Amino acid sequence: MFAGKVALVTGGGSGIGAAAARRLAGEGAAVVVADVREEAAAHTVTLIEAAGGTAVALAADIAQPADNARMFEVAQSRYGGADFAFLNAGILQPYVPLEEVTLELFDRIMAVNLRGAFLGIQQAVRHLRPGGACVVTASAAGVTGFAQAAAYATAKHGVIGLVKSAAEAFAARGLRINAVCPGLVMTPMNNFAADDGLVAPDALADP
């Protein structure tokens, strides 16, 4: 499906990001796997290459403008550009009542989950090739709220508003942008054990 295309995946070292990077590579895309933990990104690349795919790993903190720019620079220098960006990286706050959310915690959640999405979206609209697409991981908490993780839910509400607000700029450049809003997923971020296993797509089809 993605033969000859180039995809950038943030948070590609584990969970949803790692699975997406591997699936994109399995469908023929060359993948730039970015994660704040370089060793985790490298592990995903090892799995992709073992399956016959093409990928490169790099360390990137999405809260930093320079790191967001560098992800797209790597896509350009290694593969000639990027067609798709899956801006998936994020962090989950400890579950605490609203009155126990410190300003330091609130600012950190915003820096990664909202500022990071904003910076990535800005780079994507500037650098994706015409016909490309950007997908941003929001959350069901960004639609419903989450009393035990108010900062996280607030950031994800912001992500949804940001994606809606970016649609016009993307369309003007022949691009698409959408958000996905998953509920609880059994990933390391949600304290489930890491698992490199993948389920074949046809195994998920209705009987």
Side-chain angles (χ1 to χ4, degrees):
M1 184 182 297
F2 297 115
K5 302 295 185 180
V6 179
L8 164 67
V9 178
T10 67
S14 65
I16 294 172
R22 293 172 65 188
R23 179 68 190 278
L24 285 162
E27 293 284 352
V31 185
V32 177
V33 182
D35 198 282
V36 70
R37 301 161 300 141
E38 187 171 12
E39 69 280 5
H43 178 66
T44 298
V45 169
T46 296
L47 295 173
I48 288 171
E49 292 177 339
T54 301
V56 60
L58 73 153
D61 178 355
I62 63 164
Q64 303 304 318
D67 283 13
N68 281 275
R70 186 164 58 87
M71 294 187 298
F72 286 88
E73 290 167 1
V74 168
Q76 179 66 43
S77 64
R78 291 292 293 263
Y79 304 122
D83 301 286
F84 309 115
F86 181 29
L87 305 180
N88 166 75
I91 57 175
L92 184 64
Q93 74 167 84
Y95 291 178
V96 295
L98 175 64
E99 60 271 23
E100 295 181 20
V101 177
T102 65
L103 183 58
E104 179 182 16
L105 173 60
F106 187 86
D107 287 348
R108 176 59 180 158
I109 295 296
M110 292 297 157
V112 176
N113 291 354
L114 185 53
R115 172 188 163 108
F118 168 73
L119 293 170
I121 287 170
Q122 276 197 329
Q123 291 294 325
V125 76
R126 291 169 179 158
H127 297 295
L128 290 179
R129 295 189 283 220
C134 178
V135 175
V136 188
T137 300
S139 171
V143 179
T144 64
F146 193 172
Q148 287 73 43
Y152 176 83
T154 300
K156 294 301 186 178
H157 272 76
V159 168
I160 293 170
L162 182 58
V163 168
K164 290 179 177 180
S165 301
E168 182 176 332
F170 274 73
R173 292 165 175 78
L175 304 169
R176 293 171 288 117
I177 184 169
N178 289 281
V180 292
C181 298
L184 178 67
V185 181
M186 293 185 290
T187 64
M189 190 175 84
N190 286 313
N191 297 316
F192 290 90
D195 184 352
D196 288 335
L198 290 179
V199 177
D202 55 4
L204 299 176
D206 292 332

